[in-house]
Amino acid sequence: MPSEYKRGLSPYIRPYRKSIAGVLLIQTAGAFLQVVAISLLKPIVDSSAEGYDAVYILELGIILLAVTVLYGVVIASASSLSSRISASIAADMRRGVIKSSLKNQDLGNLKTPTYAMTCLTGDISVIQEHIFQTLRTYAPMPVLLALMSISTFLINFNVGLVLVLAILLISLFTLIFSSRLTRLYQARLESMDNLNSSLREKITGAKTIRAYGGADYEKEKFERVNGTFGRYNKLIVLKSYFIPLFSTAFVWLFLIFVYMSAALDYSGRVIPAYSLVLFMQFTTCIVNTMSLIPYLCLILPQVRVSAERIAETSAAGKDYGRAGADESGDYAVSAENVEFVDRFGRKTIENMDISIPKGTVSTVLGPNGSGITELVDLILAFSVPSSGTFRVFGMNTAECSPEQIRERVAYSGNHSNIFRGNLRFNLDPAGKNDDARIMEVCRSIGFSDYIENLPDKLDSDMSSRPMSGGQNQMLALARCLLRDADMYIFGDSFLSLDENSARNALNGILRLCEGKTVLFAQHDPFTAEASQRMFFISGGKVKSYGSHSELASESPAYAEMFGKAVR
Amino acid sequence: MSLGFYGKNILDPLREYYGDLGKRMRPYILLTMFSTVALSLIPYVCGQFLSKIINISESDGLDLDFIINISSVGVLLVIFWYVSSTHCGMELNKMALDICKKIRTDLNRKITTMPTGVLESMSAGDLTSRIVTDLPAVKDLISRDYMAFFSGSLLSLLILLVMILVSPVLALSYVITMPATLIVSRIISKKSAKDYEIQKRMLNDIDAEMSEIVSNHREIKTHNLESAILEKFEISNRRFTEAKVNSESRSGLIPPLASVASNLGYVVTAVAGALMLFNGMLDLGTFLAFMIYVRLINGPVLISATTVDRLRSEITSLNRILEIIGAPEAEDGSSEPDSSYKGKITFRDVRFSYTDAAEVLHGISFEVSPGEIVAISGPTGSGKTTIVSLLLRFYNPSSGEVLIDDINIKNISRRDLSRTIGSVMQEPWIFRGTIRENIVYNRDWITEDDLTRAMEVTGLHRLTGNLPQGLDTAVDNDLLSLPLAFKRMIAMTRAIAGEPGILILDEALSGLDPVTESAIFDGLKKMMSGRTVIIVSHDRRLTSQADRIISLNDGNIADQARSDPVL
């Protein structure tokens, strides 16, 4: 209902109150000017009809033109202002949507991956167009209709009354009809989302689809979504096609009725030609103005639906407080009796106690599904324990904002997502390092040759440049190492590298991170050798920890893992 | 701004795929023509009314019959106009919707059958933006704006015709002023064409940025890049807003200018009319009707002038969509249906380079016998994945041949190729659906037993066993990130479940702990005994278990050794 969408839109509209008031004022002036222009026609036509001298008509004409030019200036400036206001409001809305997408911890609040995109370009465009048209075209309507009704009342009270009734009837009728369309518009937008994300999915899965010859299967899947969308579109057409021209037809019928009754009503008095002509001018103006009403009413349900969607998408994520860091401790990570239950209901971490001292190089490893990924997520505050306390540099992850934790902990996985932009941006998106430092870090891990061989070096555009698995891996490592953090976590970070490159990168990492806390979450024997402490995780618990040689001799499961891992 | 020019150009590109739209629209255009004739006669009717009323004052008696007759004519005209226009509108809408549905089907087909190289040259963000933004614009074009432009132009021409018929001299005096409107509109719309181009590009930029935020969300959160990405987005946001304001302000000048021009025409016509009335060359009723026509013609001229802008932008969208629909489809080979292949693979002097890059493979040749387990290893960027891509016929070699069972794969149907080869890519693709659907995909002949057997090999049942809905758990690629190992297992189960004659694993086992990796590999060997397996990996532990290792270096084969069993 209207109140909901106003709530969604009002924070965006509020800052522009003054400008909007200004535009409305200008438009009111414009409406008056238009009525003046029409009234000027009366003496022109009157004089022409009575065959007055052409010079007089020309004089009147020049005044009319002057008024028209003034009117033109008024609506041009109103139009430009309306455009600026509506575009700025739309820009603010876009920023709101993006901000909230970035603030949310994950995108689970979105129904489909393309939901926010459709919102950004589709819904916001609808609202922008609506605000623009309201300020530019629809704003003078009430004033115009009021002035015209007044003039009609002056000519003939009954006619004026019927006119006002006609305006009210048409508006009511179209409003009622269009409100019944709201749910249809909503359903249509939802199915459009499904359609868009279905198509987008096929783009990311292009290779697999071709490898499996899945084109026919994808077609079947797609036609279901396509059909639903088409059906909603048809339904909307069937339920609304008679609305737009309705008021025009109604008004013409009304006018014919008026002329008929005026003719029948005649009781011998002399009706001056100009008042009738004036009335005719007004009637054409009225027809043009009132034909806008249905369009306005048709767009209202769309606006309502779009405003709701925008409000939903810009809903901010949870606001955490900022906790103080307890620097007196010796531990980068400390967890006591931590348990974690994942979103599928499985207890993936059970009674875990782990303490990683500051400044050490450690490794966590274990069989797949043993809880290593979940542990890393807990350290990075992507999840919080279901019970127990998890502290990173003394900060309780359940009580402070994740951003705080991630300021001090940098992570590199085995894959880096490429951002649109150049290589420099991809290596250092926050822009905190100069080129010299960037190249120094890349040289340490063995990435600098690749960069030197590029024609544009750090300015190379990454969006159209496919990287091999190993180059991509190096980018991830560099991006992580270029951050000024207190702890660095490497999860499967050497997977795409051959042994020489991996050893080289490891040496670089150890050199660059000297004095900081380093944690490896992978199965390489040489990172194990470089680690001061190994944590062997199995079944969601820390089974044993110690140095590599200690564990190899004490724990058979550990030895088995490394027995197979000998290169 | 001739109609013919626009009529021909707009719909012609569609003719190739969807038939002669122009011809199908013709009956509705004709009907609209007739109904617009009806509409344009109504002011004439009112004019007759008026002259009757005015003449009544000069003579006695009231011609009731005439008034009733002419009222009925008026009412009938209005009803005829409303019914036919609304009907035409609905039919055109339905036609447009049908065509849009077909376009969507074709878009889907092209995305799934285009050659991989062509698809990769377009960024995913750009493609998605075409679906999200350009497709709705095409729908508006066909269903609304094309007809609006046509009927607007038609109506103005018709009114002009009626004016000429009613009084050629007066019409001439009006026409003299018309060029002013047209010329000014033309100049303005030429300038706004460029604005539209920029606006379109900026909108696509915004789409791409949002798409990136969705794909890279986890990475953005991991490195606290929220403000950096927001800043990046603001650049596109600002540019788009500027472009929109520019183009709207510019095209917002048209209505006021048209208004001035129309009033100019009005005055000139009034002067000429006055002269003619004075000289008895014109009767009052005609004159009054004419003044109404002058007012009326303003509307349609304005509509056509503003619709041209929208049309321009929509034609750009149409071209972007047709670019994809007109893209070539990957060539298919022909072979005996459902032939089975033993699994002998031959690469003969194969050279290959990606579109504009340096050559990646410099004439490599090797042979794999049926039932062999061959590892392809080498440093990053040496061409391993390229070999897999060529074998799966994602691309064609620049020179040389790829053969299966001594048949060039160009002569093997893609269907047979996809049935024969099961593959797991480096980036596993999970689509929206259940885990079961992701495994079975398009092979409905896979039984529950096949599924169970495959899961036992990969160990997937251990991961899904704890899920409350087991294999029927819903999964998705983008929104909630699944752990990589999970995705890899699903993809591997997918490949094995089809019992392919050739199995390709491209770094598929990396990321798994050594124990799991060995278990899977042993299971694979047993299941695929007698069938060919190709493992792409630089992991020596894995490759040492193959029958033979092909080592690549910089696009050449360095070595083809039997693996050392001692290792």
Side-chain angles (χ1 to χ4, degrees):
Chain A
M1 288 324 289
S3 58
E4 252 169 45
Y5 102 79
K6 283 234 169 61
R7 204 184 315 136
L9 289 185
S10 54
Y12 293 109
I13 297 184
R14 206 169 302 139
Y16 297 91
R17 276 194 325 267
K18 291 211 185 105
S19 322
I20 292 179
V23 172
L24 291 177
L25 214 66
I26 296 179
Q27 291 283 39
T28 313
F32 271 101
L33 279 174
Q34 194 171 6
V35 175
V36 166
I38 295 178
S39 313
L40 268 178
L41 299 172
K42 134 185 151 187
I44 292 181
V45 175
D46 180 31
S47 323
S48 324
E50 295 178 15
Y52 268 10
D53 93 88
V55 175
Y56 176 62
I57 297 173
L58 221 64
E59 277 170 19
L60 285 176
I62 290 174
I63 300 177
L64 171 64
L65 277 178
V67 171
T68 317
V69 168
L70 195 62
Y71 174 65
V73 166
V74 163
I75 49 177
S77 53
S79 168
S80 168
L81 256 175
S82 315
S83 165
R84 221 163 267 282
I85 294 175
S86 63
S88 306
I89 292 180
D92 289 344
M93 278 196 246
R94 256 177 247 125
R95 202 176 307 125
V97 169
I98 295 280
K99 238 189 189 162
S100 106
S101 304
L102 289 171
K103 186 163 185 209
N104 284 330
Q105 289 308 310
D106 59 48
L107 294 171
N109 68 316
L110 295 183
K111 301 201 179 88
T112 65
T114 47
Y115 190 82
M117 282 176 71
T118 322
C119 215
L120 217 57
T121 45
D123 293 310
I124 293 184
S125 299
V126 164
I127 305 260
Q128 172 173 12
E129 187 68 22
H130 174 66
I131 296 180
F132 178 58
Q133 292 297 350
T134 305
L135 289 177
R136 182 178 85 150
T137 320
Y138 302 136
M141 257 172 61
V143 180
L144 266 179
L145 286 175
L147 288 174
M148 286 192 246
S149 310
I150 292 175
S151 339
T152 320
F153 270 119
L154 290 176
I155 294 179
N156 183 326
F157 184 79
N158 293 334
V159 170
L161 199 64
V162 178
L163 176 67
V164 169
L165 277 175
I167 295 174
L168 287 173
L169 258 175
I170 291 175
S171 314
L172 210 68
F173 178 68
T174 40
L175 260 173
I176 293 175
F177 252 95
S178 57
S179 64
R180 289 165 67 182
L181 291 173
T182 312
R183 218 170 309 142
L184 263 181
Y185 276 114
Q186 214 155 19
R188 175 183 170 272
L189 272 174
E190 268 172 32
S191 86
M192 183 160 89
D193 273 337
N194 285 336
L195 195 89
N196 290 341
S197 29
S198 156
L199 283 171
R200 186 170 184 270
E201 202 175 58
K202 294 175 220 283
I203 296 172
T204 42
K207 286 202 167 137
T208 313
I209 294 176
R210 283 156 180 75
Y212 283 82
D216 289 331
Y217 177 76
E218 295 292 338
K219 177 174 181 208
E220 244 181 77
K221 239 184 5 178
F222 181 74
E223 282 310 308
R224 262 176 268 148
V225 185
N226 197 10
T228 314
F229 183 59
R231 221 181 34 243
Y232 282 123
N233 278 331
K234 276 235 174 88
L235 270 174
I236 289 179
V237 168
L238 285 175
K239 291 206 178 217
S240 66
Y241 70 94
F242 52 86
I243 293 182
L245 301 175
F246 173 72
S247 78
T248 315
F250 191 82
V251 174
W252 276 121
L253 285 174
F254 160 73
L255 290 173
I256 292 178
F257 157 77
V258 165
Y259 291 131
M260 196 170 74
S261 62
L264 293 172
D265 199 34
Y266 171 70
S267 48
R269 41 188 177 119
V270 174
I271 302 176
Y274 67 78
S275 68
L276 285 167
V277 168
L278 193 57
F279 183 64
M280 285 199 74
Q281 296 306 314
F282 271 129
T283 56
T284 30
C285 222
I286 289 172
V287 171
N288 285 338
T289 314
M290 286 185 65
S291 62
L292 291 173
I293 295 182
Y295 290 103
L296 175 61
C297 294
L298 266 184
I299 208 163
L300 276 179
Q302 288 186 55
V303 169
R304 198 174 301 149
V305 169
S306 292
E308 266 169 37
R309 284 163 57 98
I310 294 174
E312 233 182 281
T313 326
S314 354
K318 177 176 170 199
D319 238 325
Y320 298 84
R322 282 188 79 86
D326 180 8
E327 294 296 350
S328 58
D330 291 323
Y331 295 107
V333 175
S334 73
E336 255 174 86
N337 219 352
V338 162
E339 274 187 0
F340 180 68
V341 179
D342 73 4
R343 71 184 137 98
F344 295 121
R346 304 179 296 172
K347 193 183 279 192
T348 47
I349 302 231
E350 223 176 319
N351 303 115
M352 180 175 285
D353 294 309
I354 189 169
S355 311
I356 302 180
K358 288 186 198 166
T360 54
V361 178
S362 331
T363 304
V364 286
L365 76 167
N368 276 109
S370 52
I372 296 178
T373 321
E374 286 79 5
L375 176 61
V376 173
D377 274 357
L378 281 171
I379 299 179
L380 288 170
F382 276 110
S383 35
V384 289
S386 321
S387 73
T389 320
F390 203 91
R391 287 185 194 279
V392 176
F393 288 109
M395 299 182 275
N396 186 338
T397 60
E399 285 171 8
C400 64
S401 73
E403 286 81 31
Q404 233 182 322
I405 307 255
R406 291 173 207 152
E407 254 166 45
R408 307 187 60 178
V409 182
Y411 172 80
S412 162
N414 87 312
H415 173 81
S416 52
N417 293 93
I418 307 292
F419 292 102
R420 295 169 80 230
N422 57 21
L423 184 53
R424 188 182 294 107
F425 182 81
N426 272 280
L427 284 165
D428 183 22
K432 297 225 169 95
N433 298 281
D434 58 15
D435 280 9
R437 172 73 183 159
I438 294 179
M439 289 310 290
E440 185 195 327
V441 168
C442 291
R443 208 167 298 127
S444 304
I445 58 171
F447 194 37
S448 50
D449 283 341
Y450 170 77
I451 301 179
E452 298 287 347
N453 288 335
L454 292 174
D456 293 317
K457 305 216 195 332
L458 284 175
D459 288 307
S460 311
D461 179 24
M462 297 312 293
S463 39
S464 50
R465 184 169 289 282
M467 290 177 114
S468 75
Q471 289 153 356
N472 187 290
Q473 179 82 82
M474 287 286 195
L475 181 60
L477 282 172
R479 197 184 275 164
C480 172
L481 290 165
L482 277 165
R483 288 195 46 202
D484 184 24
D486 294 317
M487 177 172 180
Y488 295 87
I489 305 182
F490 300 94
D492 290 329
S493 285
F494 298 150
L495 281 187
S496 312
L497 303 177
D498 59 271
E499 193 180 328
N500 281 335
S501 312
R503 279 191 191 273
N504 191 25
L506 175 63
N507 289 335
I509 289 174
L510 293 174
R511 201 169 46 239
L512 287 166
C513 301
E514 203 168 319
K516 311 263 175 121
T517 316
V518 175
L519 181 66
F520 292 103
Q522 44 196 55
H523 304 109
D524 297 286
F526 45 87
T527 58
E529 281 157 18
S531 303
Q532 297 159 307
R533 195 173 295 210
M534 310 286 295
F535 296 90
F536 184 60
I537 314 249
S538 175
K541 302 191 202 304
V542 177
K543 270 283 159 63
S544 41
Y545 64 90
S547 74
H548 176 52
S549 42
E550 281 170 13
L551 284 181
S553 54
E554 286 169 14
S555 164
Y558 185 90
E560 193 196 1
M561 186 164 270
F562 272 103
K564 310 247 176 178
V566 170
R567 289 191 175 215
Chain B
M1 212 192 298
S2 91
L3 294 174
F5 170 78
Y6 268 105
K8 217 174 160 55
N9 272 24
I10 295 176
L11 297 182
D12 255 4
L14 284 169
R15 190 203 295 257
E16 214 178 308
Y17 310 98
Y18 306 105
D20 200 342
L21 268 183
K23 202 199 278 182
R24 283 170 66 189
M25 286 191 183
R26 215 163 290 160
Y28 298 109
I29 295 180
L30 282 174
L31 189 53
T32 314
M33 246 175 78
F34 280 126
S35 64
T36 17
V37 168
L39 189 66
S40 39
L41 284 178
I42 294 176
Y44 182 74
V45 167
C46 296
Q48 291 303 311
F49 253 132
L50 273 184
S51 75
K52 259 300 161 176
I53 293 173
I54 291 166
N55 287 334
I56 283 174
S57 57
E58 296 162 4
S59 67
D60 294 341
L62 187 64
D63 194 347
L64 199 63
D65 279 334
F66 175 78
I67 288 181
I68 293 186
N69 284 343
I70 214 157
S71 310
S72 334
V73 168
V75 168
L76 283 172
L77 283 175
V78 174
I79 294 179
F80 170 64
W81 168 79
Y82 178 70
V83 169
S84 49
S85 295
T86 331
H87 176 69
C88 284
M90 180 178 76
E91 289 302 315
L92 279 170
N93 241 306
K94 290 210 287 197
M95 206 190 322
L97 288 178
D98 275 332
I99 301 228
C100 284
K101 184 158 181 239
K102 289 204 188 110
I103 291 182
R104 288 194 297 270
T105 307
D106 287 342
L107 266 179
N108 177 57
R109 214 194 55 219
K110 285 297 160 161
I111 291 177
T112 51
T113 58
M114 241 196 283
T116 321
V118 179
L119 190 60
E120 281 177 338
S121 63
M122 308 183 199
S123 82
D126 177 60
L127 265 175
T128 319
S129 114
R130 288 183 203 216
I131 297 164
V132 170
T133 310
D134 292 315
L135 201 53
V138 170
K139 183 215 165 242
D140 282 339
L141 169 68
I142 303 180
S143 69
R144 189 188 63 198
D145 292 327
Y146 177 68
M147 263 317 289
F149 176 73
F150 244 110
S151 55
S153 319
L154 221 68
L155 187 56
S156 18
L157 274 182
L158 266 173
I159 295 180
L160 196 60
L161 206 71
V162 170
M163 284 162 76
I164 294 176
L165 287 174
V166 161
S167 165
V169 181
L170 275 184
L172 187 65
S173 65
Y174 176 75
V175 165
I176 291 173
T177 58
M178 228 170 87
T181 325
L182 293 175
I183 290 176
V184 171
S185 316
R186 190 100 202 269
I187 295 177
I188 292 181
S189 53
K190 263 204 178 129
K191 291 235 174 95
S192 52
K194 210 187 277 186
D195 289 331
Y196 263 107
E197 278 308 297
I198 300 178
Q199 195 183 313
K200 260 254 124 70
R201 248 184 299 134
M202 294 301 122
L203 194 59
N204 295 332
D205 255 356
I206 290 182
D207 270 333
E209 292 281 336
M210 184 73 223
S211 175
E212 180 176 271
I213 290 177
V214 170
S215 318
N216 298 356
H217 194 260
R218 173 91 180 196
E219 184 91 355
I220 296 174
K221 299 304 286 183
T222 307
H223 290 293
N224 269 355
L225 293 176
E226 291 94 349
S227 21
I229 300 289
L230 187 62
E231 239 180 80
K232 189 155 87 97
F233 175 76
E234 266 305 298
I235 298 176
S236 305
N237 199 11
R238 245 194 312 258
R239 279 204 218 134
F240 173 70
T241 310
E242 276 310 304
K244 190 131 211 309
V245 170
N246 280 341
S247 77
E248 265 177 356
S249 302
R250 216 193 285 276
S251 48
L253 289 175
I254 296 186
L257 283 171
S259 187
V260 173
S262 135
N263 279 354
L264 179 65
Y266 205 88
V267 170
V268 169
T269 319
V271 170
L275 288 173
M276 286 174 70
L277 268 176
F278 189 61
N279 293 331
M281 288 178 357
L282 189 69
D283 73 275
L284 187 61
T286 315
F287 174 67
L288 293 174
F290 204 89
M291 297 315 282
I292 295 176
Y293 281 127
V294 170
R295 197 125 202 87
L296 261 182
I297 202 174
N298 196 31
V301 168
L302 206 64
I303 291 179
S304 357
T306 45
T307 317
V308 167
D309 287 332
R310 259 211 302 267
L311 273 180
R312 216 184 286 277
S313 141
E314 284 162 4
I315 290 173
T316 318
S317 293
L318 179 63
N319 287 332
R320 279 166 59 88
I321 297 281
L322 288 178
E323 238 176 70
I324 302 185
I325 294 186
E329 290 182 36
E331 315 150 334
D332 201 349
S334 59
S335 56
E336 290 299 311
D338 294 328
S339 354
S340 65
Y341 295 85
K342 294 201 207 71
K344 174 179 174 195
I345 301 173
T346 317
F347 267 59
R348 203 176 289 160
D349 214 17
V350 168
R351 288 180 182 271
F352 180 74
S353 59
Y354 291 97
T355 35
D356 57 351
E359 204 181 53
V360 175
L361 296 176
H362 312 302
I364 60 166
S365 307
F366 66 88
E367 216 176 78
V368 177
S369 318
E372 252 198 298
I373 302 181
V374 171
I376 301 183
S377 80
T380 63
S382 51
K384 308 190 289 289
T385 306
T386 312
I387 290 183
V388 168
S389 301
L390 287 174
L391 190 53
L392 286 166
R393 216 183 162 193
F394 291 151
Y395 315 96
N396 290 321
S398 322
S399 73
E401 294 178 299
V402 178
L403 308 126
I404 294 186
D405 282 10
D406 296 316
I407 305 174
N408 192 325
I409 56 172
K410 284 191 185 166
N411 297 325
I412 300 179
S413 75
R414 285 184 186 264
R415 187 162 176 268
D416 279 347
L417 203 62
S418 61
R419 288 247 175 144
T420 310
I421 308 182
S423 57
V424 185
M425 318 279 168
Q426 256 177 324
E427 279 300 307
W429 181 58
I430 307 295
F431 55 86
R432 203 160 181 230
T434 64
I435 297 182
R436 187 191 301 270
E437 282 169 2
N438 268 276
I439 299 175
V440 173
Y441 196 43
N442 60 337
R443 301 157 302 180
D444 49 10
W445 40 265
I446 292 182
T447 66
E448 200 63 31
D449 286 332
D450 295 331
L451 213 59
T452 321
R453 218 176 315 141
M455 287 204 292
E456 273 169 13
V457 171
T458 60
L460 184 63
H461 60 293
R462 242 173 281 132
L463 289 178
T464 58
N466 300 336
L467 294 175
Q469 286 165 307
L471 280 183
D472 293 308
T473 315
V475 287
D476 199 328
N477 203 5
D478 268 324
L479 293 180
L480 297 160
S481 26
L482 282 173
L484 180 64
F486 206 142
K487 285 197 215 174
R488 282 243 166 90
M489 290 227 182
I490 295 179
M492 237 193 308
T493 318
R494 187 194 288 153
I496 302 174
E499 299 203 15
I502 301 174
L503 180 65
I504 301 180
L505 301 172
D506 190 349
E507 302 285 4
L509 293 173
S510 50
L512 301 175
D513 65 274
V515 179
T516 316
E517 195 187 69
S518 310
I520 295 181
F521 193 65
D522 290 334
L524 273 177
K525 276 212 284 207
K526 216 183 302 172
M527 190 179 190
M528 293 290 293
S529 84
R531 291 186 270 193
T532 316
V533 177
I534 296 190
I535 306 181
V536 173
S537 176
H538 52 259
D539 183 343
R540 257 201 272 157
R541 171 183 12 137
L542 201 57
T543 58
S544 62
Q545 304 200 47
D547 296 332
R548 192 156 51 105
I549 307 177
I550 298 176
S551 308
L552 282 181
N553 199 348
D554 208 14
N556 290 307
I557 295 193
D559 190 29
Q560 288 199 53
R562 297 223 71 89
S563 73
D564 191 336
V566 172
L567 277 172

